[in-house]
Amino acid sequence: MRSLEIPGQEIHIEIDNPIPRRKKRNTNLADAEPIVLMSVLSSLHAGYFRISLSLCSQALLWKIMVHLHSEIPSAAFHFLWYLALVTQVSLCFMYAFKCVFFFDLVKEEFVHYIGVNYLYAPSISCLLLLQSAPMIKPHSVLYQTLFWIFTVPILTLDTKLYGQWFTTEKRFLSIMANPASQISVIANLVAARGASEMGWKECALCFFSLGMVHYLVIFVTLYQRLPGGNNFPTTLRPVFFLFFAAPATASLAWNSISGTFDILAKMLFFLSLFIFISLVCRPNLVKKSIKRFNVAWWAYSFPITFLALDSVQYAQEVKDHFASGLMFIFSSMSVLIFLGVMLLTAANSKRLLRRDPVLWSATAPKDK
């Protein structure tokens, strides 16, 4: 049986009006700007307020130094304070826009065992900015009004965070504790100093007792190295400097409450000094975290600044060569670290605009 063969034919199709090619995508800056803005807002988290926290604490240090040493130019303090103000206002506006356009990300941060602690940072920065303000007097109505505006979020977060440690079985402190938990303590102690500056001693004692009781509980919990510490990302290890930032802030607050750098203030200062030396003697603790720049590096700056503030008050009380040496060492260290981190941030500014999953790089403790 023969196979049937069909002769092949070539078919040619001519198109008179070919479809024009697509025009190149419009890369006009006006069109790209909203996309870039949304990308920045989605990558922003409360941890970026470490930058303003460092600026505001540095401004407070310069204000005290200018007041004690007339040879230090006041122009440097004013420039630093206005820089801190612009940075804080910019971050607050950006985070407010994030709450509007990316509320789900904010909610995710609010329920995260590390991220929720950084929600205290905006209020801490605002309180430090208020305490270092060159034109607002502590007894003025404006100062008192702003104090309560900045303090109410702290009390709200205290009720939420401390309350769940007491009542929620799935979020016990032994499970959720991590070094960043000390930020809540610092917030209450900074509020205590602000209240004492206005002469509200009872209010200051209330905030101080609230902060110190929880500092003791958190410190003992972290000292035992319970499960929460095992879920802490390597990138966030600079936050370990908060171990001496909390007692340093407590010493500063108590000095303001009592009106003198008394025995309790000195004890807290020596405790922070000992913890600082203990951390510095173990460079491997943060060796892995400094391989690539991250906004968490700002956690090196403001704890040193709080320790420098204590050393200034200690030198004014003791007035000997040892105390003056400590003041010079920690003040210089604070300024140098601050300038160093600022230069590194400027050199790595593009990296800051990327989505930073650092707060979500570790799995949160599983609910039992």
Side-chain angles (χ1 to χ4, degrees):
M1 183 176 178
R2 290 184 175 180
S3 60
L4 182 62
E5 296 182 359
I6 302 175
Q9 296 181 356
E10 294 182 359
I11 301 175
H12 298 277
I13 301 175
E14 295 183 0
I15 301 176
D16 295 334
N17 297 319
I19 300 174
R21 294 182 179 179
R22 288 185 177 181
K23 295 182 179 180
K24 292 184 179 180
R25 187 176 180 180
N26 188 4
T27 57
N28 189 10
L29 182 60
D31 296 333
E33 205 170 89
I35 300 175
V36 173
L37 179 60
M38 291 297 108
S39 176
V40 171
L41 291 180
S42 63
S43 63
L44 183 72
H45 55 78
Y48 280 82
F49 282 95
R50 297 187 193 95
I51 300 175
S52 61
L53 185 56
S54 298
L55 283 167
C56 296
S57 59
Q58 193 71 211
L60 181 61
L61 174 63
W62 278 79
K63 179 182 180 180
I64 295 176
M65 294 295 290
V66 167
H67 178 72
L68 296 177
H69 304 280
S70 58
E71 64 271 12
I72 299 178
S74 60
F77 157 65
H78 285 87
F79 171 77
L80 189 60
W81 188 87
Y82 282 109
L83 178 62
L85 176 63
V86 171
T87 304
Q88 177 68 6
V89 171
S90 301
L91 287 173
C92 286
F93 270 109
M94 292 174 66
Y95 200 81
F97 282 125
K98 179 180 179 178
C99 293
V100 175
F101 295 106
F102 297 97
F103 184 73
D104 291 340
L105 294 178
V106 177
K107 184 178 179 181
E108 183 181 356
E109 190 174 353
F110 184 75
V111 299
H112 194 270
Y113 75 115
I114 296 177
V116 66
N117 296 287
Y118 286 101
L119 296 177
Y120 284 95
S123 296
I124 301 174
S125 300
C126 289
L127 286 171
L128 290 173
L129 195 65
L130 180 63
Q131 294 172 30
S132 60
M135 74 291 290
I136 306 177
K137 301 299 181 181
H139 297 285
S140 65
V141 177
L142 178 60
Y143 191 104
Q144 298 173 1
T145 303
L146 291 175
F147 172 81
W148 282 116
I149 292 175
F150 302 149
T151 306
V152 168
I154 294 176
L155 294 174
T156 304
L157 285 170
D158 283 346
T159 305
K160 187 264 180 186
L161 197 62
Y162 298 157
Q164 73 181 13
W165 293 347
F166 279 117
T167 59
T168 308
E169 295 180 359
K170 296 181 180 180
R171 300 182 72 87
F172 279 147
L173 178 62
S174 58
I175 300 174
M176 312 307 294
N178 61 86
S181 301
Q182 298 173 102
I183 299 178
S184 63
V185 173
I186 295 175
N188 286 283
L189 296 173
V190 171
R193 186 182 186 277
S196 64
E197 289 291 311
M198 296 183 294
W200 297 355
K201 298 297 182 182
E202 300 301 320
C203 181
L205 286 172
C206 176
F207 280 109
F208 184 83
S209 60
L210 184 63
M212 285 307 298
V213 168
H214 285 91
Y215 170 69
L216 293 174
V217 174
I218 293 172
F219 182 78
V220 172
T221 303
L222 294 175
Y223 204 91
Q224 298 177 56
R225 302 182 67 85
L226 293 171
N230 297 330
N231 296 280
F232 202 69
T234 303
T235 316
L236 290 180
R237 284 188 178 178
V239 181
F240 275 84
F241 272 43
L242 293 177
F243 275 104
F244 67 83
T249 312
S251 177
L252 194 67
W254 185 254
N255 174 62
S256 182
I257 293 172
S258 63
T260 179
F261 208 80
D262 58 10
I263 295 177
L264 179 57
K266 292 178 182 178
M267 290 172 62
L268 292 168
F269 171 60
F270 292 143
L271 174 61
S272 61
L273 185 61
F274 172 77
I275 298 175
F276 168 76
I277 296 173
S278 300
L279 291 174
V280 171
C281 292
R282 289 165 176 81
N284 291 330
L285 181 67
V286 294
K287 186 177 181 180
K288 294 182 179 179
S289 65
I290 60 176
K291 291 183 178 179
R292 180 177 298 179
F293 178 81
N294 189 276
V295 70
W297 286 19
W298 282 94
Y300 292 124
S301 178
F302 62 88
I304 297 290
T305 305
F306 287 137
L307 195 57
L309 286 166
D310 279 350
S311 65
V312 172
Q313 301 297 333
Y314 180 69
Q316 291 299 310
E317 178 67 23
V318 177
K319 295 181 180 179
D320 61 10
H321 295 293
F322 175 74
S324 300
L326 286 178
M327 179 184 68
F328 176 77
I329 291 172
F330 285 112
S331 299
S332 303
M333 190 182 301
S334 172
V335 174
L336 291 175
I337 291 177
F338 170 75
L339 292 176
V341 178
M342 180 177 286
L343 292 175
L344 288 171
T345 303
N348 296 273
S349 57
K350 292 183 179 180
R351 188 180 298 275
L352 295 178
L353 299 178
R354 301 174 184 174
R355 182 167 177 79
D356 184 8
V358 103
L359 291 178
W360 296 270
S361 60
T363 303
K366 295 181 179 179
D367 297 341
K368 296 183 178 180

